[in-house]
Amino acid sequence: MTALSDDPAENLDRFIVEALDHGCVYGLEGPDGWALCPSEKYDDSDVIPLWSEQALAQVHCREEWTDYKPVAIDLEELLDDWLPGMHDDELLVGVNWDESLEGDEIEPMDLLEEFEQEME
């Protein structure tokens, strides 16, 4: 596994390229559902962090997420169901966050647009 960059834009690009290559992304699922974090951008929003590699997600299975495990989300399901649903639920996407849970928070429909541009 290659370490994430200090540049969130590079990590976003990596997320999209690797998701397209692998056909999936990874979230953390635990006893209470999917891992969520409060947004640092918006007071009343939560963020679902997603990673492009299982190992990048696995790093976060500690502390409050000890009981969570990386679970693959099929790319087609992400694009067709998850992102529109997250938009409706006013959730943000955390893309390839580093070990300190730092990185971009993206509007789901903006991420969908990034994927569509890359697939053209």
Side-chain angles (χ1 to χ4, degrees):
M1 172 189 74
T2 306
L4 291 169
S5 169
D6 290 334
D7 180 357
E10 284 181 30
N11 292 333
L12 171 60
D13 289 343
R14 176 178 175 177
F15 180 84
I16 291 169
V17 168
E18 289 181 347
L20 290 169
D21 285 349
H22 303 307
C24 66
V25 299
Y26 294 87
L28 297 179
E29 190 174 25
D32 300 323
W34 295 96
L36 289 172
C37 292
S39 171
E40 294 198 2
K41 277 187 177 178
Y42 305 104
D43 290 337
D44 296 331
S45 292
D46 285 325
V47 182
I48 295 182
L50 299 174
W51 294 270
S52 57
E53 290 186 29
Q54 183 177 2
L56 294 172
Q58 183 68 49
V59 168
H60 301 281
C61 295
R62 55 186 163 85
E63 298 171 9
E64 70 267 18
W65 292 339
T66 300
D67 296 335
Y68 287 71
K69 299 205 177 331
V71 175
I73 301 163
D74 181 76
L75 184 59
E76 186 174 332
E77 184 178 344
L78 176 77
L79 300 178
D80 293 347
D81 300 330
W82 277 65
L83 295 178
M86 290 173 71
H87 172 75
D88 291 345
D89 294 339
E90 298 182 5
L91 294 168
L92 298 168
V93 185
V95 178
N96 270 353
W97 281 357
D98 67 16
E99 290 184 29
S100 303
L101 291 176
E102 293 185 8
D104 273 347
E105 296 178 6
I106 299 175
E107 299 282 347
M109 300 316 283
D110 290 345
L111 183 58
L112 183 60
E113 188 176 311
E114 293 274 350
F115 271 105
E116 289 172 349
Q117 288 175 0
E118 186 67 27
M119 291 187 291
E120 286 180 357

